[in-house]
Amino acid sequence: MKELLSLLDKNQAPFTINIYPYLSLQQNPNFPKDFAFFDGSTHAVVDGSHVYNNVLDAIYDLLVAALNRTGFPNMPIFVGEIGWPTDGDLNANVASAQKFNQELLKHVLSNIGTPLRPGGPLEVYLFALMDEDQKSVAPGNFEPHWGIFTFDGQPKYPLDLTGQGRNVSLTKASDVRYLPLRWCVLNPDGDMSKLAENVAYACTHADCTPLTYGSSCNSMGVPGNASYAFNRYYQLTNQAGNSCYFEGLGMVTSVDPSTGSCRFLIELALSSAPFRPPASLTIPFAGVIALLFLWI
């Protein structure tokens, strides 16, 4: 590490650290939720004369202290990634993401700094610009949902990038082209004994993380959950001819089945080669999750 720090120092390069208060909360059920945000905490950490009311400042100053002790007290620090997901977990939702990112911007642009580096703005990079539906969910089902924008370039919530907390709408993508307004939903006349394996197949290949407990599409019951899974696969295949069959359990509708906080997506119009589903049926983690919550 000392050699790496010497190289950074020689080239006047910053030390980049990724800080995720959300992960502190998600990975530890005893982590105080208010310590992840910036509007005051009843669980402040006192370190001598320094008081920490949020986990960002605490982790940042852990790095500052380490750099000081190693002989690099003036090395610049960049927070390379920081953000909050909007789906896929009980604590991942639009309201919390907006609250966190807006308070974060206000905090870092206030020139308060941190207890060990007071009096200056922190340089941070918000993660992420857009959702990534093909991102691995090995760390958690929230991973595809870090975007401030949806997959089609629509802002999920207002965000004032000046840090003043105004109700400012971000600019949405224009001239977005979608596939035809068709959705794949559960056919109530199908053979329900085959439902579990077909939902598992859909969720093996498409993103079903919004069906996770506490997520945006978790409260629809069996028909709604199955329809969501079928539609995500149908859109993934660019609405290919037989991709809504599911052994007679799927049917195409022109009526938008979106309900409440659950949005049934229409895929973007694509000019690349069509999706070809694999021949074999496998059920990895995403498929298992869909099965677990299909029956709730």
Side-chain angles (χ1 to χ4, degrees):
M1 284 301 299
K2 288 184 178 179
E3 292 180 6
L4 291 173
L5 291 172
S6 296
L7 178 65
L8 293 175
D9 185 61
K10 178 181 177 180
N11 292 279
Q12 299 181 334
F15 189 109
T16 302
I17 181 174
N18 298 342
I19 300 177
Y20 284 105
Y22 169 78
L23 294 183
S24 299
L25 177 64
Q26 191 266 341
Q27 295 172 0
N28 182 356
N30 298 314
F31 187 87
K33 187 172 183 177
D34 60 359
F35 198 57
F37 294 91
F38 303 92
D39 54 351
S41 174
T42 58
H43 303 85
V45 174
V46 179
D47 181 27
S49 61
H50 300 136
V51 178
Y52 294 91
N53 291 300
N54 65 80
V55 69
L56 168 62
D57 287 356
I59 294 177
Y60 189 97
D61 274 4
L62 281 172
L63 176 57
V64 172
L67 291 173
N68 290 346
R69 293 185 62 179
T70 317
F72 300 93
N74 299 314
M75 180 169 288
I77 297 173
F78 287 3
V79 179
E81 293 182 7
I82 186 170
W84 200 281
T86 58
D87 212 346
D89 184 69
L90 189 61
N91 290 305
N93 53 71
V94 169
S96 293
Q98 180 184 26
K99 173 180 170 65
F100 178 83
N101 282 328
Q102 193 61 78
E103 291 178 358
L104 169 68
L105 289 168
K106 180 180 179 181
H107 181 69
V108 301
L109 295 174
S110 66
N111 292 329
I112 295 175
T114 68
L116 290 185
R117 285 195 177 177
L122 306 181
E123 182 147 354
V124 304
Y125 292 84
L126 292 177
F127 185 84
L129 180 65
M130 299 177 72
D131 284 346
E132 303 171 82
D133 67 338
Q134 296 297 305
K135 191 175 183 182
S136 169
V137 296
N141 283 346
F142 52 83
E143 281 294 341
H145 305 287
W146 290 96
I148 297 172
F149 290 79
T150 57
F151 77 102
D152 51 353
Q154 310 305 304
K156 296 180 182 178
Y157 46 82
L159 189 66
D160 182 6
L161 298 178
T162 69
Q164 299 177 33
R166 300 171 299 172
N167 188 29
V168 177
S169 296
L170 298 172
T171 302
K172 65 181 181 180
S174 58
D175 300 323
V176 180
R177 295 186 299 114
Y178 297 90
L179 295 177
L181 296 180
R182 295 195 295 259
W183 296 264
C184 180
V185 297
L186 177 66
N187 181 355
D189 297 325
D191 182 356
M192 295 302 159
S193 68
K194 300 178 179 179
L195 183 60
E197 63 183 273
N198 278 278
V199 169
Y201 180 83
C203 291
T204 294
H205 305 293
D207 176 21
C208 293
T209 55
L211 295 175
T212 308
Y213 174 71
S215 301
S216 62
C217 297
N218 175 237
S219 60
M220 297 184 296
V222 173
N225 288 357
S227 293
Y228 185 87
F230 289 172
N231 186 65
R232 286 309 298 257
Y233 182 82
Y234 179 60
Q235 302 301 332
L236 177 68
T237 65
N238 299 319
Q239 302 180 358
N242 63 347
S243 62
C244 186
Y245 179 60
F246 296 107
E247 297 186 277
L249 284 163
M251 64 180 189
V252 175
T253 178
S254 60
V255 179
D256 187 353
S258 300
T259 177
S261 63
C262 185
R263 179 186 174 197
F264 280 61
L265 304 178
I266 293 289
E267 187 56 80
L268 301 177
L270 216 56
S271 58
S272 60
F275 174 86
R276 291 182 176 85
S280 61
L281 171 64
T282 56
I283 308 178
F285 183 74
V288 173
I289 288 297
L291 284 176
L292 286 175
F293 292 103
L294 176 63
W295 309 110
I296 294 178

